[in-house]
Amino acid sequence: MLRADGGHALNETDRLAEEERVLRGGDSAEPRVLSLATLVAIMTQHYIVGELSVLIAGLYPVSGEQLAADLRELRCRVESAPVGALRTLAVQATAVADRTCWSSLDEGDAGAFARQATAAALLHDFAVNANLLS
């Protein structure tokens, strides 16, 4: 997957290593002093990404290979996306959550529907409270 700047998307390990390099001030061995607000913002972004990913995972298991593939792809995109893309991904996540609920209803699986509806509601509430949805 290519990023807008022409580079490759980083996996979580590479992304954390890159953030540590930036926090240290580039390739310098001297640590760079960051403000508390900057550190809080970085941690908040990590929390939002992680929580969104976990809430998407709460929609599993689903019936249908395409729906399962869509959920896997969405989780990967959430985990590797820049923070600015999270609003769009939250909208997509709620749409996929809706599809999982309808799929369970179509199959007559009340248990799966109840579980997925709860997961979808949690995902929606989190996205609203994180200002990803209005």
Side-chain angles (χ1 to χ4, degrees), residues 1-11 14-15 18 80-82:
M1 178 187 311
L2 289 178
R3 295 188 321 225
D5 64 3
H8 291 283
L10 300 176
N11 63 34
D14 292 340
R15 186 167 70 169
E18 176 64 12
S80 63

Side-chain angles (χ1 to χ4, degrees), residues 12 35 42 63 74 106:
E12 185 64 15
S35 71
I42 291 169
S63 60
L74 183 59
D106 288 344

Side-chain angles (χ1 to χ4, degrees), residues 29-40:
E30 292 295 317
R32 192 171 87 186
V33 177
L34 296 175
S35 71
L36 180 58
T38 301
L39 292 173
V40 169

Side-chain angles (χ1 to χ4, degrees), residues 48 52 55 86-87 90-91 94 120-134:
I48 290 171
L52 192 55
L55 290 168
L86 290 179
R87 287 181 191 270
V91 169
T94 57
L122 290 171
L123 187 143
H124 180 266
D125 289 348
F126 175 77
V128 168
N129 288 314
N131 292 319
L132 299 175
L133 296 176
S134 45

Side-chain angles (χ1 to χ4, degrees), residues 8-26:
H8 291 283
L10 300 176
N11 63 34
E12 185 64 15
T13 303
D14 292 340
R15 186 167 70 169
L16 291 174
E18 176 64 12
E19 284 181 11
E20 183 176 336
R21 187 188 71 74
V22 169
L23 291 175
R24 291 199 162 275

